[in-house]
Amino acid sequence: AWCDADERHKAAFDDMQTFLQQMDRVTEWPDALSPEYWLGDLAQARRPGRRQIRRRGALLLAMAAALFAVVGVFFFAPVLKDDDSSGGVAQTIFTAADTTRAARLADGSQVDLAARTSLAVQIGEHQRTVTMRDGIAYFKVAKDPSKPFIVNVGKYRVRAVGTAFNIRSAGERMVVTVAEGTVDVFPEGSSGVRAHAGTEVAWAANAAAPAVAPVNPQAALEWQNNRLDSVNEPLAAVVVDLNRYSQRRITLRSAAAGGIMVTGTVRTGDVQAWVEALPSLFPVRLEREADGGIVITDS
């Protein structure tokens, strides 16, 4: 609402988003950013002395900390409690609304993040651990048999050594699509399944076992082309994905509506139009909130 109130607010917010996304490069060599870059207009106005740079840098970091407090839901990165963390390398990677990002991990693995996705990475001596909240990420894991690569998603674990797979975590549902190699998918403390390339593992909340099916892995990666493809997905999970790209918050207030199974494609730039069409396809109705948000409920 604050961003929508004034174009200058939105511009200021976008500037700070950019600054936050570049923070990990300010002191990270060999490609560290110069003060002229990360100070932006402050450096262009006049070249400050070292003391001024330090003071202004501290001010911007304080502003960044305040922004984290305001929009922390987008950038939450939990502290890892990994027994293998001593002497390791830690990274935090995140994306804001309606943005994607490609990143290289310290072990050489590659990861692509969809909008509103955050990862906390710990490269330890014996294990590589990633903690992920709701979001979508594609991992291309660097081969290292001595260090298993484990992604923690809520109560679920995805384990690989050197492979490529996509994870989509939406509310209480997690879907792992294997593009290359083999991964193990299992709830914490329990046995799970081993999935090979061309296989999708979908695990819903409180399910005794996952749904495993052969798929075309490319379909799961269409989010990289601004398409959200759903095949027999509950509407509740689809809404979670849509909210990553929607300019207006979409709220689901009906368990029955959330259980409707959906197959279709949504362009990330056409989210609102797709939602507007729901009542013509399913037994649901839409309500408007004062701030412009959309509520989906029973018809």
Side-chain angles (χ1 to χ4, degrees):
W2 179 79
C3 286
D4 292 341
D6 192 308
E7 284 297 322
R8 294 171 297 176
H9 294 179
K10 181 63 166 61
F13 185 84
D14 289 343
D15 286 346
M16 188 55 71
Q17 295 270 51
T18 300
F19 173 75
L20 286 171
Q21 291 171 354
Q22 298 292 343
M23 281 180 66
D24 59 349
R25 289 184 54 204
V26 171
T27 59
E28 196 173 84
W29 298 93
D31 61 341
L33 297 175
S34 67
E36 285 75 14
Y37 185 94
W38 57 271
L39 282 174
D41 293 340
L42 292 177
Q44 295 174 13
R46 60 189 178 95
R47 289 185 63 86
R50 180 169 297 184
R51 182 175 300 175
Q52 291 171 311
I53 288 178
R54 187 179 296 115
R55 184 185 303 118
R56 287 171 180 172
L59 174 61
L60 284 175
L61 288 174
M63 293 169 63
L67 184 60
F68 268 117
V70 174
V71 292
V73 65
F74 298 153
F75 312 128
F76 176 81
V79 177
L80 294 176
K81 301 296 185 182
D82 184 4
D83 294 337
D84 191 36
S85 62
S86 59
V89 178
Q91 292 175 271
T92 300
I93 309 168
F94 57 84
T95 52
D98 200 20
T99 61
T100 59
R101 181 180 179 185
R104 184 180 179 87
L105 305 187
D107 69 330
S109 298
Q110 301 284 341
V111 59
D112 295 337
L113 284 73
R116 293 182 179 174
T117 300
S118 65
L119 305 177
V121 184
Q122 185 73 50
I123 307 298
E125 183 178 355
H126 305 293
Q127 181 175 298
R128 297 167 286 176
T129 306
V130 177
T131 299
M132 174 180 174
R133 297 190 72 212
D134 281 351
I136 305 175
Y138 174 66
F139 299 88
K140 193 169 182 62
V141 180
K143 289 181 171 59
D144 188 347
S146 67
K147 289 185 182 181
F149 190 98
I150 297 178
V151 183
N152 300 325
V153 190
K155 67 177 182 180
Y156 301 108
R157 304 290 179 263
V158 180
R159 180 173 57 204
V161 173
T163 184
F165 56 93
N166 189 80
I167 296 180
R168 182 166 65 88
S169 176
E172 298 181 336
R173 179 180 174 85
M174 184 193 71
V175 180
V176 179
T177 306
V178 186
E180 300 175 12
T182 303
V183 302
D184 295 325
V185 186
F186 54 96
E188 184 178 18
S190 302
S191 60
V193 298
R194 174 159 290 180
H196 303 279
T199 302
E200 181 174 275
V201 179
W203 217 311
N206 303 319
V212 182
V215 296
N216 176 5
Q218 187 56 42
L221 300 178
E222 283 300 314
W223 63 266
Q224 297 174 329
N225 299 319
N226 301 316
R227 289 165 48 105
L228 301 177
D229 285 349
S230 301
V231 179
N232 205 30
E233 294 277 348
L235 182 59
V238 174
V239 166
V240 173
D241 288 337
L242 295 182
N243 272 319
R244 303 187 204 291
Y245 299 91
S246 179
Q247 296 180 355
R248 303 294 184 186
R249 181 70 185 175
I250 306 167
T251 304
L252 189 60
R253 289 187 183 159
S254 165
I260 294 173
M261 305 309 287
V262 176
T263 295
T265 297
V266 186
R267 291 279 182 183
T268 57
D270 298 329
V271 169
Q272 186 159 342
W274 190 88
V275 173
E276 296 281 359
L278 282 177
S280 65
L281 302 171
F282 303 108
V284 300
R285 62 187 175 88
L286 306 181
E287 298 176 355
R288 302 287 179 178
E289 296 188 305
D291 63 358
I294 301 174
V295 176
I296 303 174
T297 187
D298 291 327
S299 59

